[in-house]
């Protein structure tokens, strides 16, 4: 009887921890919270903690380069508002670091997430460096990552979705950049997002692993551009088996009629147009006219489009979706 009671107690405790944060930390620049630095708040959280740790970030501009290491799982960063809760840095590929070495794309991030089960909402993540080299704002390698109601700002390589086994969910987000500003090998859903091109270039550069059925999937998004921008491709394959699909997306007139680019001239990975999978269903707007798309892209049938569901794409993970 005691053993049964103990089992029930442990189960109940685990259920409660799964529903509510076991610790809440407030970050505020005016000193009204436990910390004035987001990184210090993250560092204070117990490694491999028993449940969700909630970090509330009060409005302000936080000039930080932040890392959430793999030992700091199940953390939620919750800002006050995506317009006034700002995390910003200005590193870029080629910049000389503190060790007098040149940075690369992969350590130019403003925010690096290496841990699983990280959630973010109501913040602005920015890399303010532009036209100096690749400059990542958000770099995610952990699994089951979600970000909602947020802004992600940069120029080239704004968002790096790394990791063949990483699943990521972006909802109601505004993302802007110049070249390949959504790139990487993760399986990613963008839902109700606004994607703004700041230059005549390419939006996506997926590098999906050959073993993966899904790469980037956009649902009900909107593609817009800075004034004067009129030649933007939906994507080009960073690696041979890149997969990118737009479903019910409104596309501005800046999207070129051919839609996709084969990334010719890559000596290491030639002829990527033969293996990449690029597709659309229900594209709308001036840039959504598909009659002149490249012949190696696809227009999904209704039956094919029905395969693009949260369950099919993410498997056993079901991120919480907004009611909007």
């Amino acid at each position: 009887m005691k053993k049964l009671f103990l089992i029930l107690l442990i189960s109940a405790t685990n259920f409660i921890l799964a529903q509510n944060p076991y610790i809440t930390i407030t970050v505020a620049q005016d000193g009204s919270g436990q910390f004035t630095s987001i990184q210090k708040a993250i560092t204070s959280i117990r490694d491999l903690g028993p449940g969700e740790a909630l970090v509330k970030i009060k409005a302000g501009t936080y000039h930080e380069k932040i890392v959430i290491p793999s030992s700091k799982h199940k953390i939620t960063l919750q800002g006050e508002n995506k317009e006034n809760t700002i995390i910003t840095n200005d590193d870029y590929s080629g910049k000389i670091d503190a060790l007098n070495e040149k940075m690369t794309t992969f350590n130019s991030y403003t925010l690096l997430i290496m841990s699983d089960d990280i959630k973010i909402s109501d913040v602005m993540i920015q890399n303010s460096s532009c036209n100096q080299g690749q400059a990542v704002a958000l770099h995610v390698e952990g699994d089951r990552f979600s970000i909602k109601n947020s802004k992600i700002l940069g120029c080239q390589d704004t968002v790096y979705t790394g990791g063949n086994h990483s699943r990521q969910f972006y909802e109601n987000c505004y993302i802007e950049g110049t070249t390949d500003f959504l790139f990487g090998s993760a399986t990613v859903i963008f839902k109700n997002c606004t994607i703004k091109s700041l230059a005549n270039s390419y939006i996506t550069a997926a590098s999906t692993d050959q073993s993966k059925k899904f790469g980037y999937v956009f649902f009900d998004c909107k593609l817009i551009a800075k004034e004067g921008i009129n030649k933007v491709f939906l994507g080009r394959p960073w690696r041979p088996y890149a997969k990118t699909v737009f479903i019910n997306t409104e596309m501005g007139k800046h999207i070129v009629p051919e839609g996709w680019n084969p990334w010719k001239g890559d000596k290491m990975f030639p002829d990527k147009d033969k293996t990449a999978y690029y597709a659309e269903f229900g594209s709308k707007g001036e840039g959504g006219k598909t009659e002149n798309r490249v012949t190696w892209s696809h227009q999904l049938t209704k039956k094919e489009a029905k395969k693009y569901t949260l369950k099919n794409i993410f498997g056993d993970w079901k991120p919480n979706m907004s009611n909007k």
Side-chain angles (χ1 to χ4, degrees):
M1 192 69 172
K2 288 183 178 178
K3 187 175 181 180
L4 177 60
F5 176 76
L6 182 61
I7 292 171
L8 291 172
L9 181 62
I10 292 172
S11 297
T13 301
N14 288 337
F15 177 78
I16 292 169
L17 288 173
Q19 300 300 313
N20 300 293
Y22 80 97
I23 186 172
T24 298
I25 300 169
T26 300
V27 180
Q29 292 181 324
D30 61 6
S32 60
Q34 290 98 318
F35 296 93
T36 57
S37 158
I38 299 168
Q39 183 67 73
K40 287 182 179 179
I42 291 167
T43 302
S44 76
I45 295 169
R46 180 177 178 177
D47 287 348
L48 305 176
E52 177 192 8
L54 174 61
V55 179
K56 292 185 175 181
I57 308 170
K58 289 195 173 183
T61 300
Y62 297 84
H63 294 274
E64 297 191 52
K65 187 179 182 74
I66 298 170
V67 178
I68 302 180
S70 59
S71 61
K72 305 290 185 182
H73 66 175
K74 300 179 182 178
I75 293 175
T76 295
L77 301 181
Q78 183 184 88
E80 284 193 1
N81 185 285
K82 64 185 177 183
E83 302 296 340
N84 60 24
T85 309
I86 304 164
I87 305 168
T88 184
N89 194 52
D90 61 357
D91 287 343
Y92 58 90
S93 178
K95 183 178 180 179
I96 303 300
D97 64 15
L99 299 176
N100 203 34
E101 295 181 354
K102 286 185 177 181
M103 289 186 174
T104 69
T105 302
F106 306 103
N107 58 12
S108 67
Y109 57 81
T110 295
L111 173 58
L112 168 62
I113 295 171
M114 303 180 72
S115 181
D116 297 340
D117 300 299
I118 302 299
K119 295 185 285 186
I120 297 176
S121 67
D122 303 292
V123 300
M124 181 189 300
I125 304 166
Q126 179 187 43
N127 191 319
S128 61
S129 173
C130 199
N131 299 322
Q132 293 172 292
Q134 294 92 337
V136 175
L138 177 64
H139 176 160
V140 181
E141 294 191 5
D143 191 22
R144 297 182 298 273
F145 168 78
S146 65
I147 181 168
K148 300 179 182 180
N149 307 321
S150 295
K151 284 188 170 184
I152 313 172
L153 310 182
C155 286
Q156 185 171 354
D157 293 358
T158 304
V159 180
Y160 177 40
T161 61
N164 292 339
H165 303 291
S166 174
R167 292 168 292 179
Q168 304 179 22
F169 182 63
Y170 297 68
E171 186 179 22
N172 297 329
C173 289
Y174 171 92
I175 307 170
E176 69 177 26
T178 56
T179 298
D180 303 334
F181 59 98
L182 298 171
F183 74 111
S185 59
T187 298
V188 187
I189 289 177
F190 299 91
K191 173 71 174 173
N192 292 332
C193 290
T194 298
I195 315 293
K196 185 174 183 178
S197 292
L198 303 179
N200 289 326
S201 198
Y202 314 90
I203 297 173
T204 67
S207 56
T208 319
D209 188 78
Q210 185 177 358
S211 65
K212 299 298 179 182
K213 290 183 179 180
F214 303 97
Y216 287 171
V217 183
F218 295 79
F219 290 106
D220 308 305
C221 291
K222 187 175 182 180
L223 308 184
I224 63 175
K226 179 182 175 182
E227 187 177 352
I229 301 307
N230 57 16
K231 190 178 181 181
V232 175
F233 291 86
L234 297 172
R236 59 176 179 170
W238 183 20
R239 292 293 183 266
Y241 294 92
K243 296 179 178 69
T244 301
V245 177
F246 287 88
I247 295 176
N248 297 327
T249 294
E250 183 179 338
M251 303 180 180
K253 62 182 180 181
H254 61 293
I255 300 300
V256 296
E258 59 266 42
W260 310 91
N261 183 281
W263 200 319
K264 291 292 185 182
D266 187 338
K267 293 180 181 180
M268 187 177 291
F269 301 104
D271 303 318
K272 287 182 279 191
D273 53 309
K274 295 179 180 178
T275 49
Y277 186 84
Y278 286 153
E280 298 168 71
F281 179 82
S283 293
K284 300 169 283 188
E286 290 186 60
K289 299 172 183 177
T290 60
E291 55 268 23
N292 292 315
R293 293 292 196 246
V294 292
T295 57
W296 46 275
S297 67
H298 306 268
Q299 296 302 314
L300 300 177
T301 64
K302 286 185 178 180
K303 184 177 180 181
E304 289 171 331
K306 286 181 179 179
K307 295 179 181 178
Y308 288 83
T309 64
L310 201 68
K311 182 175 177 56
N312 286 344
I313 297 168
F314 284 156
D316 61 359
W317 178 47
K318 186 178 180 180
N320 293 325
M321 298 180 69
S322 300
N323 294 322
K324 296 179 181 179

